[in-house]
Amino acid sequence: AQKITQTQPGMFVQEKEAVTLDCTYDTSDQSYGLFWYKQPSSGEMIFLIYQGSYDEQNATEGRYSLNFQKARKSANLVISASQLGDSAMYFCAMRGSGGYQKVTFGTGTKLQVIP
Amino acid sequence: DAGVTQSPTHLIKTRGQQVTLRCSPKSGHDTVSWYQQALGQGPQFIFQYYEEEERQRGNFPDRFSGHQFPNYSSELNVNALLLGDSALYLCASSFQTSGAYLAKNIQYFGAGTRLSVL
């Protein structure tokens, strides 16, 4: 079974500052993928960034980077230079190996960017 | 390039009724997954369809059923609605790959259907 834990129900960050959203995971799979999604109040789940368990480098996508520490089973999302439009729910998720594509989500972190 | 589209956007039903939600996947995608997201929670996996067959199912009762059509679009049906079925229902599409890149298949989500059961 897979489990995602996000311990920060809510976070505040000043505009233009960087913020780190925490995520830890648990799985018995050797090969797995980690994802971060953003969900604005409109409801749509927007894909942000992906990290594979065998990737040697941390993933980056524009202002988003994923701090992957495999031994600690953590996959924290770092957002640099926060913008007001970054205010949303953020979900960490994972998929294991095995031929199927079920994705397991955490409970999310609500990020609010303060002007 | 159209993304994942879901219809309707909102629905209000009463207990005991049946509902059908629809999803059209992103162009080029062949796999559709359905998720239920209760208020304040993360999405929970309901089931996944590939090649018109259900190939994986989460912990949901048989009242939840689905279908995938030859054009890869999909429907989610819920029978005998309960108050607890009130939620945002999200559809996600992806393209089936195999081997070492399996875990990288990215699921792209629609905006969801918000179902209220009264």
Side-chain angles (χ1 to χ4, degrees), chain B residues 6-22:
Chain B
Q6 292 186 244
S7 63
T9 54
H10 294 85
L11 265 181
I12 299 176
K13 292 286 188 178
T14 57
R15 281 179 299 174
Q17 285 189 313
Q18 179 264 345
V19 68
T20 297
L21 312 181
R22 296 176 175 81

Side-chain angles (χ1 to χ4, degrees), chain B residues 4-8 11 19-25 32 34 69 73-77 89 91 112-113:
Chain B
V4 180
T5 58
Q6 292 186 244
S7 63
L11 265 181
V19 68
T20 297
L21 312 181
R22 296 176 175 81
C23 172
S24 291
V32 173
W34 287 92
F69 300 93
S73 66
S74 177
E75 289 182 349
L76 164 64
N77 301 294
Y89 288 85
C91 168
T113 294

Side-chain angles (χ1 to χ4, degrees), chain B residues 70-89:
Chain B
N71 66 352
Y72 307 117
S73 66
S74 177
E75 289 182 349
L76 164 64
N77 301 294
V78 187
N79 294 323
L81 284 167
L82 304 174
L83 296 179
D85 295 332
S86 295
L88 178 67
Y89 288 85

